[in-house]
């Protein structure tokens, strides 16, 4: 018989700054707690500041030492920091990592006989050039007792490339937090970040290869020829990896295209969590021509904030957005991205996209996601008792 008592669940995430898998961890922790389960979030804390928001569950912040220059050593160090923290952890029913680092730490603990099993959510699979990083990723996917995923695309990739059947769980969006209703904070935020243009195009995720930042920049140069007062806001950017060569190329392209940083191109960095919903409301369109995503949580947030959306014409976006709900563009063709951006800010098109996309939101709630997780946790626990 399946246990009826609340589950004790440890959720592991590699950072305290908002990225897709980190946000997923926190929202899942909140939803699981609201369902009556006992959750503790274990997070590597690189700056000693912890999470910006308070959580209704236990939190264990793990001090992360300064990063060594070599990325292989960095990953090895971060795994070791998790392992050390887990040595002192109480017992849980479920040990669940949201990334490669946490999963490798849990696998080591299981191999030492300290924990009974490992759960891993595979948000997406990277193409690493480092043999060590590739080995860590493969181990974090093959070794867990249960792999979960958040999209059809990665479910198929896990089946094809790894021979793993990974149940699909949902992402969600907090429609009480992300809303189109102004709060009066918009003018101050625009002043803070220098958002005086029209229209304002927003993307979130920072400057990095898989976000397709350089092609988006080239597309924006074409947009400026038609909308000289337009601004492109690229927010976010907290990441584990150093994309300095790509960033340097990005700024070379900006200079060559005569796109002034601070005027036409706004780079505010990581946005405080309290300001993020306000930032969405300051924009006129959301552009996300990403080359590779686990899901794209920010797309759901932008829809909830009442923005027309431009996304790549590939999964996972095409899994949950119809052409009537978002403008699909070829992410490899800057002209196609530019045409999508211009179309999204045409009043009639924008209104139609916003109205059509709202129906998506009801399908994706964190509570529903948490219920899926609980079902799979119970199945794992039942199998371990057989």
């Amino acid at each position: 018989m399946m246990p009826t008592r609340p589950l004790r669940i440890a959720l592991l995430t590699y950072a305290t700054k908002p990225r897709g898998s980190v946000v997923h961890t926190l929202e899942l922790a909140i939803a699981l707690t609201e369902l009556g389960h006992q959750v503790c979030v274990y997070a590597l804390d690189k700056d000693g500041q912890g999470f910006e928001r308070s959580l209704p569950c236990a939190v264990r912040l793990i001090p992360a030492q300064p990063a060594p220059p070599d990325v292989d050593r960095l990953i090895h160090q971060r795994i070791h920091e998790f392992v050390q923290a887990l040595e002192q952890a109480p017992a849980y029913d479920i040990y669940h990592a949201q990334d490669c680092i946490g999963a490798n730490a849990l696998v080591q603990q299981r191999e030492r006989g300290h924990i009974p099993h490992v759960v891993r959510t595979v948000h997406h699979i990277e193409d690493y050039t480092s043999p060590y990083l590739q080995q860590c990723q493969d181990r974090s996917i093959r070794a867990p007792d249960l792999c979960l995923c958040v999209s059809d695309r990665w479910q198929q990739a896990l089946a094809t490339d790894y021979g793993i059947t990974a149940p699909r769980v949902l992402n969600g969006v907090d429609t009480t937090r992300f809303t189109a209703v102004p709060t009066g904070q918009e003018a101050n935020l625009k002043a803070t970040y220098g958002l005086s243009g029209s229209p304002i195009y927003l993307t979130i995720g920072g400057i990095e290869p898989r976000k397709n930042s350089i092609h988006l920049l080239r597309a924006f140069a074409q947009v400026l020829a038609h909308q000289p007062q337009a601004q492109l806001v690229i927010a976010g950017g907290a990441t584990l990896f150093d994309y300095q060569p790509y960033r340097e190329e990005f700024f070379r392209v900006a200079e060559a295209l005569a796109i002034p940083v601070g005027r036409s191109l706004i780079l505010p960095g990581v946005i405080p969590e309290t300001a993020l919903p306000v930032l969405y409301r300051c924009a006129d369109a959301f552009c996300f021509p990403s080359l590779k995503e686990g899901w794209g949580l920010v797309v759901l947030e932008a829809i909830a904030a009442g923005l027309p959306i431009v996304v790549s014409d590939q999964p996972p976006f095409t899994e949950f957005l119809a052409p009537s709900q978002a403008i699909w563009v070829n992410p490899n063709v800057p002209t196609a991205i530019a045409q999508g951006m211009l179309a999204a800010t045409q009043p009639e098109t924008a209104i139609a996209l916003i109205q059509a996309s709202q129906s998506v939101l009801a399908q994706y709630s964190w509570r529903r996601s948490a219920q899926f997780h609980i079902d799979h946790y119970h199945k794992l626990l039942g199998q371990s008792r057989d």
Side-chain angles (χ1 to χ4, degrees):
M1 179 178 292
M2 303 307 295
T4 57
R5 64 171 175 79
L7 295 179
R8 296 163 300 178
I9 303 165
L11 296 179
L12 279 64
T13 183
Y14 76 97
T16 57
K17 297 295 180 269
R19 294 284 288 189
S21 66
V22 179
V23 173
H24 179 102
T25 305
L26 299 187
E27 296 291 355
L28 176 60
I30 293 168
L32 288 169
T33 302
E34 290 175 348
L35 289 175
H37 300 281
Q38 299 171 8
V39 180
C40 183
V41 174
Y42 286 75
L44 290 171
D45 188 11
K46 301 177 184 65
D47 59 8
Q49 300 298 310
F51 295 110
E52 284 187 37
R53 52 173 156 160
S54 60
L55 298 175
C57 62
V59 174
R60 172 76 186 277
L61 298 175
I62 303 167
Q65 299 303 310
D70 178 73
V71 69
D72 287 4
R73 287 175 55 204
L74 169 63
I75 299 302
H76 182 271
Q77 176 177 304
R78 294 292 182 247
I79 293 171
H80 180 66
E81 288 164 346
F82 254 137
V83 169
Q84 284 187 307
L86 291 167
E87 293 284 357
Q88 309 300 321
Y92 296 94
D93 299 305
I94 296 293
Y95 297 83
H96 185 170
Q98 297 288 335
D99 51 69
C100 171
I101 293 174
N104 271 276
L106 288 179
V107 167
Q108 288 188 30
Q109 289 295 90
R110 188 195 61 195
E111 289 176 347
R112 295 172 184 176
H114 296 168
I115 65 175
H117 57 252
V118 177
V119 181
R120 158 103 205 261
T121 297
V122 180
H123 291 270
H124 65 272
I125 301 170
E126 293 281 3
D127 299 315
Y128 292 120
T129 56
S130 159
Y132 174 75
L133 291 183
Q134 190 61 48
Q135 180 185 38
C136 284
Q137 176 172 253
D138 286 348
R139 190 181 192 214
S140 77
I141 294 172
R142 297 185 189 280
D145 302 274
L146 171 64
C147 271
L148 304 172
C149 63
V150 296
S151 75
D152 293 341
R153 174 186 182 181
W154 297 111
Q155 187 179 54
Q156 293 166 8
L158 287 167
T160 302
D161 299 338
Y162 290 86
I164 292 173
T165 300
R168 186 169 172 267
V169 292
L170 292 179
N171 271 315
V173 61
D174 183 351
T175 54
T176 62
R177 182 168 172 239
F178 296 97
T179 170
V181 180
T183 60
Q185 301 170 287
E186 290 75 21
N188 286 340
L189 187 138
K190 283 188 173 184
T192 298
Y193 293 122
L195 307 183
S196 58
S198 180
I200 294 173
Y201 295 96
L202 173 65
T203 192
I204 294 178
I207 300 168
E208 60 180 78
R210 74 181 180 91
K211 301 298 181 184
N212 206 20
S213 306
I214 291 176
H215 273 2
L216 176 59
L217 183 66
R218 294 187 184 280
F220 182 59
Q222 297 180 37
V223 168
L224 286 172
H226 299 273
Q227 298 172 332
Q229 301 305 311
Q231 288 181 307
L232 173 62
V233 182
I234 303 179
T239 180
L240 190 66
F241 298 103
D242 179 10
Y243 297 109
Q244 192 59 33
Y246 187 84
R247 289 178 59 86
E248 290 173 355
E249 175 65 15
F250 177 91
F251 287 111
R252 282 195 294 269
V253 171
E255 184 177 5
L257 294 173
I259 300 176
V261 178
R263 190 162 76 246
S264 297
L265 176 61
I266 307 296
L267 304 172
V270 177
I271 303 296
E273 287 204 64
T274 55
L276 185 57
V278 185
L279 179 61
Y280 281 115
R281 290 193 293 270
C282 291
D284 297 290
F286 189 77
C287 307
F288 209 60
S290 183
L291 297 173
K292 181 185 287 186
E293 287 295 328
W295 178 260
L297 278 176
V298 291
V299 173
L300 284 179
E301 294 171 357
I303 290 172
L307 292 180
I309 308 297
V310 179
V311 293
S312 300
D313 59 353
Q314 62 187 34
F317 309 115
T318 54
E319 293 177 24
F320 66 98
L321 289 171
S324 62
Q325 297 170 319
I327 295 176
W328 294 2
V329 298
N330 184 334
N332 298 303
V333 182
T335 297
I337 300 172
Q339 290 171 347
M341 294 169 72
L342 290 168
T345 53
Q346 297 304 306
E348 289 187 5
T349 301
I351 291 171
L353 289 169
I354 293 167
Q355 290 178 341
S357 63
Q358 294 304 295
S359 62
V360 172
L361 300 175
Q363 304 171 48
Y364 299 99
S365 75
W366 290 114
R367 184 179 182 88
R368 188 178 177 210
S369 175
Q371 289 169 336
F372 276 127
H373 280 81
I374 290 299
D375 289 343
H376 293 303
Y377 292 162
H378 279 314
K379 288 179 184 177
L380 176 62
L381 293 174
Q383 291 166 2
S384 67
R385 293 187 177 93
D386 292 344

